Amino acid sequence: MDNNPPSYSPAPGPESGQPAGTKSPEAPQQIGWAAKLLLAAAVLQFAATIFSVLNIASAGYRAQVRAEIATLGLGGDIESLIDGSIVFATITAIALGIISILLYILIARYITLGATWARLVAGILAIMSLYQLTVLVMPGGIATVLQVLLGIAAVVLCYIKPGSTYFREMQIHKLRLKGKTN
């Protein structure tokens, strides 16, 4: 005697809100890895932001700002200019860090959903992030290097098979749901 209650899974159709024959493609494991790499890059971005703020608060950075202001030949209260520059740099580093972390999380989420735009934006951001490698400050630079490498690896996983096939199938699936293709 079977003690398991019968399970009910409505077939795709008008009652389920999904047209017949339009089952959503399943994301391959590779896409899950890509999302996890992007989330790991978000964690590393958090670490890189902390290192950046610590660097900005250092005496060495203060001396560097003082030297730059001196080469510009600016008069007036130099200490106020230095303080203002450090506050501006700190706020900028924190804001860019938060934006980057949120972008990593958002893109990871939409990549798992097969959004082509997320894959494209991730690729563009991966290319743009290569610039970060030119302005490294150690020890925070290690987190930055790892972050950039994880982002690039995630993008590569999205553009090679079976990831590329998944995005194509999701695009076709979405068009079918809109009734724009057979």
Side-chain angles (χ1 to χ4, degrees):
M1 180 170 185
D2 188 14
N3 290 338
N4 294 332
S7 63
Y8 176 71
S9 298
E15 300 83 27
S16 69
Q18 200 175 40
T22 57
K23 185 176 181 240
S24 182
E26 195 169 314
Q29 188 176 21
Q30 175 176 322
I31 296 301
W33 294 338
K36 287 176 184 163
L37 288 173
L38 289 171
L39 293 175
V43 171
L44 288 170
Q45 176 62 52
F46 179 75
T49 301
I50 290 172
F51 282 123
S52 181
V53 169
L54 291 174
N55 177 55
I56 292 167
S58 72
Y61 186 84
R62 187 172 195 79
Q64 181 183 353
V65 171
R66 177 177 276 110
E68 288 176 17
I69 289 174
T71 61
L72 293 174
L74 299 176
D77 186 6
I78 292 179
E79 288 305 310
S80 292
L81 289 172
I82 293 170
D83 290 341
S85 296
I86 289 173
V87 168
F88 179 77
T90 303
I91 291 170
T92 301
I94 292 170
L96 290 175
I98 290 170
I99 291 168
S100 296
I101 291 166
L102 292 175
L103 275 174
Y104 275 120
I105 293 168
L106 181 74
I107 291 170
R109 172 72 178 132
Y110 280 94
I111 278 177
T112 60
L113 296 174
T116 305
W117 68 264
R119 180 175 71 154
L120 178 65
V121 169
I124 292 168
L125 290 176
I127 291 168
M128 289 173 50
S129 70
L130 292 174
Y131 169 74
Q132 288 180 301
L133 299 179
T134 65
V135 292
L136 293 178
V137 177
M138 293 302 168
I142 295 168
T144 302
V145 169
L146 292 173
Q147 168 203 345
V148 169
L149 292 176
L150 289 176
I152 290 170
V155 169
V156 168
L157 289 174
C158 291
Y159 278 94
I160 61 173
K161 287 186 178 184
S164 61
T165 303
Y166 169 66
F167 283 98
R168 186 173 50 254
E169 288 173 356
M170 279 303 290
Q171 196 170 24
I172 292 168
H173 171 72
K174 290 173 186 174
L175 289 172
R176 280 190 182 136
L177 289 177
K178 292 180 182 178
K180 294 184 178 182
T181 185
N182 291 330

